[in-house]
Amino acid sequence: MSQPRDKYTVVIGLEIHAQLSTKSKIYSRDSTTFGSAPNTNVSVVTLAHPGTLPYLNKKVLDYAIKMGLACNSEITRKNIFCRKNYFYPDLPKGYQLTQDKTPICIGGTVLIRTKKGEKYVKLNRIHVEEDAGKSIHQNEETDTLVDLNRAGVALIEIVTEPDLGSAAEAAQTMMEIRKLVRYLDVCDGNMEEGSIRCDANVSIMPKCSTVFGPKVELKNMNSIKQIKNAIEHEIDRQVGIVEAGGEIISETRTYDPATGDSIGMREKEELNDYRYFPEPDLSPVYVTDEWLDEIRNELPVLPEQWRTKFIEEYGLPEYDTGVLTDSREIAKFFNAVCQETQNYKAASNWVMGPVKSYLNDHKIGIDDFPLTPKKLAELIELIDSGKISYSSASQQLFSAWIKTPKIAALEIAEKLNLIQESDSDSLEEVVREVVDKFPDKVKEYNKGKKGLIGMFMGEVMKATKGKADPKITNQLLRDKLESVG
Amino acid sequence: MKVDKHTVRKLAHLSRLELREEDEDNMIKDLNEILTWVEQLNEVDTEGVEPLTNMSHEVNVFREDQVGEHLDHEKALKNAPKKDEDFFRVPKFLNQ
């Protein structure tokens, strides 16, 4: 059945603000520590006292360029800064010091994967600017409370083209960008603390049309899930209005995750006139070839590069590469394991399974994981050589070794009595005894009741207290049964 | 460019200034005089001249990413017309 929604093309563009993880702010030496007491990470520059001047933090540009290079953007060589003028209590200067005509990165793409396949989402620009302070509106208060700790913290604003066709694509884009800033170590990517924030411009137009509908800007989405829900809700809202013969008003709406609804924020949009002009207090920034090369050399292996390597060199399935490249640290760790073992799929299973759940359970990062990649490879080797079974390795040896990583795995396995009987000579002995014990069953087996192998297997396991290597035992049993038959 | 009543009102709004109606005419006159005076610059031939955005000819004036001294919290709040122990206080500006 055709839904009203199917009649429309959805057009979404994102504006993503990422707080750069510099120690000090963009134009002053104030600390950027999150969670400090209100109005303590401030200076005369942040508070816009008369006569104070901005002093540019070089690292902010390094980080912005890094992000641009990772997205294949063109880097602007001659940068100037601009004042974006508006009055708001959390903006002490009365203008935001930002970039307008010369964003430091132009164009570029971010690769996303959805059910529809791969897509290079086009970026419009990435520019640097300062964050505003925080306004706190409490119901029981008649005043708004202003905390200026955040004012002046360095941001990059990543602006996509109106290139996204669904809430799923928008959410995926946000996820990829968050992954990228974390890989590059330019932002901690924490959405709950507001380190990375997303506004979405959403509009719809009839399927046959090429003229964009009026756009609505959605704010206040603090998780990937909220981005998805808020955009879905907005599409439904717009389709509902148009289907009912109404008109969409271009406005800013804030999403309330508690109700799943959105509320219009400002009505007088036509008065939004920022009167940009060049900042006279900051000298221009020229990006040289040397500077670019320096940053290019610092670029880590990016998720796409890992992915290609994991597929082409290690022969891993698509799903595995997605999980393993989710964070730079995991990807690096997994790759290190693969330097120590040839069994790449087993390495992948270990990292995606027991290792990741250990990290989750203990709320630690892979850097604090007690076992080295080499040790994990040893574990895989112990299984592959038949000394211990996968189940005893993953259920017992793994957690025991984590507690005492300095002791050799084999020693622990012996102590826990996990070593499998795979010595063929002694196993053959057991197999012979078992087969001799049940002459009737042997006859039945050789008459075609092959399922009896399970019974023999069980007997061998009983005799060896479960330590017989199942593969070898199976082979020995078959050989023996057929030879007596 | 000519400044009219509409422009003056818009500017006043953007600047968060309250302009009495009797002052508007004076403001229009003043602004127009300033603009006319500045418009003399249009007579200069600027063909092929890069726009100047900064009086100093320096480029790439940076500092390293280091935290410096902060303003003492009490001092930071001192000049605010309204404050409490922690925050600047302003009239509530968001109705929800």
Side-chain angles (χ1 to χ4, degrees), chain B residues 39-62:
Chain B
E39 269 167 7
Q40 291 180 70
L41 288 173
N42 288 343
E43 291 163 23
V44 182
D45 180 12
T46 55
E47 190 67 32
V49 180
E50 287 262 312
L52 180 74
T53 58
N54 194 284
M55 289 310 289
S56 124
H57 287 280
E58 282 181 293
V59 293
N60 293 6
V61 180
F62 302 132

Side-chain angles (χ1 to χ4, degrees), chain B residues 61-72:
Chain B
V61 180
F62 302 132
R63 65 179 174 83
E64 292 306 309
D65 180 29
Q66 268 154 11
V67 176
E69 253 181 74
H70 293 120
L71 193 60
D72 185 69

